[in-house]
Amino acid sequence: MRTLQLLSLSLCSALLLFSSRALADRFADVQVEATELAPGLYMLIGAGGNMAALTGDDGILLIDAQFAEMAGKIEATLSELATGQALQVLVNTHFHGDHVGGNAKLAAASRIIAHDNVRKRLQADSNFPAEGLPNLTFNDQLSLYMNGQPVLLTAMQPSHTDGDSIVWFKAANVVHMGDLMFEGRFPFIDTNAGGNLQAYMDVTRHVIASIDANTRVIPGHGVLTNQAGLERELRMMEATLAQVQQYKAEGLTLEAIITRGLGEQWQDWHWNFITEERWIRTLYQALAD
Ligand SMILES: [Zn+2]
C-alpha cells in the first residue's frame, strides 16, 4: 500500500516535471519578430497574441503582453528597437492569458490600460499578479497622444469576450484588432466570457467599413493583413453559418452536422485550437441563441 502510494507520488511529480518542462520548451525556440509599419511603429510576433509597439521620445507604448515566459525576449526586442526608452504604457486588448500574461513582468511600473471588464476578470483570478492589473480602465473610447500621434482605443460590443478593444493608429493607417481577427483560421468566440458570434461578425463589418484598402490590420493571431483579409474572414463566417443553418433546417442534429462537416472549401481554416468540430459547435450554438 505504502509502496503503491510512494510510486504514485513519484509518478505524479514526474508528470508535473514533464509538463513544466514541456511548457518551458514551448517558448525556448520562439523569437520575437518585429516588422516596422511606419516610423517607430512595429508589429511584434512571438508566442501568443500579436503585439504592436509605438516608440519615440515619450517612451514605448505596447499593445498586449503575450505570456510571462516571453517577457525577457519582448524586453530585449524593445530595447533593440528603442534604445534607452522605457515602457510607459501597456494596453490590453482583452483579458486572455496569451495577451496579458506578461503584464506584471513587463509593465508593473507602467500605466496599464484596458476595458473595465478586463480588470474585473483579471482581479477575479487569484493567480493573476496584482501588479499586472490594468490601473486605468474605460468602457467606451480613450484617446492617447504619444510620440507625436493620436492612438484611439475603442471598446467593442461583447464579441470575442465582454472586454474587447480595438487600437487605432490613424496617422499610420494601422489598426490592431486584438482577437477580433484571427487571420485565415476559424475564430475563437469565448461565449463563457460574454463572447457572441453575431456581434463578432458585426464588429468585423464595422471595421471593414471604417478602413480603406491601404490600412494595415494587425490580427490577434496570424500574419499582418488588410481590408481584403477581413472581408475574406467575414465571408467564411457568413457562409459557414448559413450552411449550418441549412443543415439545421433539414433536421440534422449537431452530431450529424459534425459528422458531415463543412466541406473541402473550409479545411484550411481548421487549426489545433479551433478545429472544424469546435467551429461547428460555435455556429450551432449561435443559431440557438
Ligand atoms: Zn483572446
Side-chain angles (χ1 to χ4, degrees), residues 27-42:
F27 299 104
D29 298 327
V30 179
Q31 299 301 320
V32 178
E33 273 175 53
T35 305
E36 189 168 27
L37 303 179
L41 177 61
Y42 302 88

Side-chain angles (χ1 to χ4, degrees), residues 36-42 54 148-150 168-175 212 214-217:
E36 189 168 27
L37 303 179
L41 177 61
Y42 302 88
L54 177 65
Q149 58 180 298
W168 302 89
F169 299 91
K170 297 271 185 182
N173 201 9
V174 169
V175 59
D212 61 49
N214 297 319
T215 309
R216 267 85 48 87
V217 175

Side-chain angles (χ1 to χ4, degrees), residues 243 247 256-263 276 280:
Q243 194 174 2
Y247 285 155
I257 297 172
I258 289 168
T259 305
R260 188 176 289 191
L262 295 169
E276 183 185 38
I280 291 173

Side-chain angles (χ1 to χ4, degrees), residues 39 63 66-67 70 87 156-157 180-181 208 229 234 255:
I63 313 300
Q66 300 200 334
F67 296 101
M70 289 296 297
L87 177 61
M156 292 289 139
Q157 57 179 315
L180 295 171
M181 173 58 165
I208 290 169
L234 180 61
E255 296 311 318

Side-chain angles (χ1 to χ4, degrees), residues 84-102:
Q85 290 178 23
L87 177 61
Q88 294 293 341
V89 182
L90 170 67
V91 171
N92 292 142
T93 58
H94 62 292
F95 83 101
H96 283 153
D98 57 328
H99 297 254
V100 302

Side-chain angles (χ1 to χ4, degrees), residues 94 96 98-99 160-161 179 182 188 221:
H94 62 292
H96 283 153
D98 57 328
H99 297 254
H160 173 64
T161 68
D179 281 357
F182 284 79
F188 172 41
H221 297 269

Side-chain angles (χ1 to χ4, degrees), residues 174-210:
V174 169
V175 59
H176 188 305
M177 298 278 294
D179 281 357
L180 295 171
M181 173 58 165
F182 284 79
E183 198 281 324
R185 58 194 83 180
F186 295 134
F188 172 41
I189 312 296
D190 190 351
T191 50
N192 292 326
N196 179 289
L197 175 63
Q198 297 287 358
Y200 194 101
M201 291 166 69
D202 281 346
V203 166
T204 308
R205 291 184 190 103
H206 164 74
V207 175
I208 290 169
S210 308

